[in-house]
């Protein structure tokens, strides 16, 4: 039986993108190929906020994932990939994950809930393990999955074939979505490693794909326009969302309206981050 290293598994309302407002199970896998330490920092600088948290954690101060402090700069889900926190993310079998999902969803069965497989970066090596989970008897009534990805990981041929079969049976009426949060230079990641249009276009062979850009400044939007042009040139046909930066309320509230206006002005979609005003982006939301 396959195992997944799981940073978080919780039930909440999807706060971003196409399924905003939909009751959702979030399966947050451990591991990422990026660090995104530039978020919320002046351009060219990297956040050191997590260093102090890691230092405290070395002294075993934090017993569980939810004990960790939230950060206002850098990656807001740092503990889902930073190896210094890996002890807080257990390896769970498909059985254990499916059982836990049944415990946390209302009525203990899939109804209108959708599954969000997020990270970290969920399309790293875990592609091998998902079929075992999705074929579990307790997952048979699941109809919609979103992979929240940074859009840099190619799908393996085996996983592509699997997803085609999973969604393809007409009686199932299943949907697969790739929510691609492509990382602009404000993340601190390199353009040539983060903006990979050919990879994202391939996702369109399997499901609905949209791009989501985190915006804080005019420069970010100028970068987003360049990235959009590159994806379109490669043949990308999906929708594009602009989303305000801000894992904490004070930062989010500074620019959410501006980003909405910018999206309107440019004929793009606006994505909120409902988890910030609703739940203050606490762990498990
Ligand atoms: S890609 Fe996402 S999870 Fe990975 S470091 Fe960047 S923001 Fe964090």
């Amino acid at each position: 039986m396959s195992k997944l290293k799981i940073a978080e598994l919780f039930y909440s309302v999807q706060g971003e993108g196409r399924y905003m407002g939909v009751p959702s199970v979030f399966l947050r896998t451990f591991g990422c190929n990026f660090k995104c330490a530039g978020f919320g920092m002046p351009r060219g600088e990297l956040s050191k906020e997590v260093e102090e948290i890691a230092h405290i954690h070395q002294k075993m101060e934090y017993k569980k994932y939810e004990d960790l402090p939230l950060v206002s700069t850098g990656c807001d889900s740092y503990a889902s990939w930073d190896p210094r926190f890996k002890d807080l993310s257990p390896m769970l079998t498909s059985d254990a994950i499916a059982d836990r999902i049944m415990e946390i969803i209302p009525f203990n069965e899939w109804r209108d809930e959708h599954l969000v497989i997020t990270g970290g970066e969920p399309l790293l090596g875990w592609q091998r393990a998902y079929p075992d989970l999705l074929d579990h008897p307790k997952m048979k009534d699941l109809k919609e999955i979103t992979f929240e990805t940074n859009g840099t990981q190619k799908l393996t041929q085996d996983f592509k074939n699997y997803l085609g079969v999973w969604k393809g049976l007409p009686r199932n009426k299943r949907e697969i979505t790739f929510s691609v949060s492509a990382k602009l230079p404000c993340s601190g990641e390199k353009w040539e490693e983060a903006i990979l249009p050919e990879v994202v276009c391939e996702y369109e062979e399997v499901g609905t794909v949209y791009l989501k850009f985190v915006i804080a400044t005019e420069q970010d939007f100028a970068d987003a326009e360049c990235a959009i042009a590159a994806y379109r040139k490669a043949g990308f046909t999906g929708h594009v969302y602009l989303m305000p930066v801000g894992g904490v309320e004070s930062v989010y509230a500074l620019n959410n309206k501006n980003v909405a206006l910018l999206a309107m002005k440019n004929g793009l979609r606006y994505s909120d981050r409902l988890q910030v005003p609703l739940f203050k982006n606490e762990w498990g939301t």
Side-chain angles (χ1 to χ4, degrees):
M1 178 170 296
S2 295
K3 286 184 173 179
L4 283 158
K5 191 165 177 64
I6 298 300
E8 289 189 287
L9 175 53
F10 60 91
Y11 172 65
S12 188
V13 170
Q14 172 59 286
E16 305 174 3
R18 180 187 187 199
Y19 284 95
M20 202 161 64
V22 174
S24 303
V25 172
F26 289 80
L27 183 69
R28 189 185 299 287
T29 56
F30 186 88
C32 188
N33 54 322
F34 286 159
K35 292 191 166 69
C36 296
F39 279 136
M41 299 295 291
R43 190 129 315 198
E45 291 182 30
L46 300 178
S47 170
K48 300 258 184 302
E49 221 177 318
V50 174
E51 299 310 306
E52 179 62 13
I53 301 170
H55 185 66
I56 295 170
H57 185 50
Q58 266 182 350
K59 295 186 236 153
M60 307 297 287
E61 294 285 320
Y62 303 117
K63 303 283 183 252
K64 17 183 230 305
Y65 199 93
E66 307 84 66
D67 295 339
L68 293 166
L70 302 179
V71 292
S72 56
T73 55
C75 168
D76 63 0
S77 49
Y78 61 91
S80 69
W81 54 264
D82 188 321
R84 293 171 294 184
F85 303 98
K86 69 178 182 202
D87 56 303
L88 300 175
S89 296
M91 288 292 287
L92 298 179
T93 61
S94 302
D95 260 351
I97 295 169
D99 285 350
R100 180 71 189 132
I101 290 173
M102 287 302 112
E103 282 165 26
I104 60 177
I105 53 177
F107 312 106
N108 312 112
E109 61 181 23
W110 291 102
R111 291 190 180 182
D112 198 22
E113 299 81 12
H114 122 274
L115 176 65
V116 183
I117 302 185
T118 187
E121 170 47 53
L123 296 178
L124 290 171
W126 302 125
Q127 290 185 39
R128 281 193 306 274
Y130 297 136
D132 197 39
L133 173 65
L134 296 175
D135 286 340
H136 194 283
K138 290 182 179 167
M139 304 294 276
K140 72 176 181 357
D141 294 324
L142 170 66
K143 295 281 188 287
E144 292 161 304
I145 305 177
T146 295
F147 293 95
E148 290 188 332
T149 170
N150 59 29
T152 62
Q153 301 303 307
K154 281 175 77 73
L155 300 178
T156 65
Q157 192 56 50
D158 282 353
F159 192 46
K160 245 164 74 172
N161 295 345
Y162 173 80
L163 290 176
V165 172
W166 185 84
K167 131 181 140 160
L169 300 172
R171 65 183 167 78
N172 286 339
K173 293 192 189 137
R174 284 168 162 173
E175 287 221 41
I176 296 170
T177 301
F178 293 83
S179 170
V180 178
S181 183
K183 301 305 176 218
L184 297 173
C186 63
S187 67
E189 300 299 328
K190 291 195 185 116
W191 183 280
E192 60 276 18
E193 290 171 10
I195 306 299
L196 301 180
E198 290 74 22
V199 171
V200 170
C201 287
E202 226 188 342
Y203 300 163
E204 287 194 306
E205 294 170 21
V206 180
T208 301
V209 185
Y210 63 85
L211 290 164
K212 200 171 61 177
F213 292 102
V214 175
I215 303 291
T217 64
E218 285 180 15
Q219 180 62 56
D220 296 341
F221 183 61
D223 291 339
E225 283 185 304
C226 288
I228 294 164
Y231 286 104
R232 292 285 185 228
K233 193 168 167 214
F236 174 71
T237 61
H239 295 299
V240 177
Y241 289 77
L242 301 186
M243 187 169 82
V245 75
V248 293
E249 222 174 355
S250 54
V251 179
Y252 157 87
L254 275 179
N255 77 343
N256 59 342
K257 187 171 172 189
N258 288 341
V259 173
L261 293 172
L262 194 61
M264 281 168 63
K265 189 171 150 204
N266 289 281
L268 300 172
R269 298 186 170 204
Y270 170 72
S271 170
D272 210 289
R273 308 167 81 105
L274 283 180
Q275 67 276 26
V276 180
L278 285 180
F279 305 119
K280 306 204 182 320
N281 206 26
E282 283 168 2
W283 305 118
T285 63

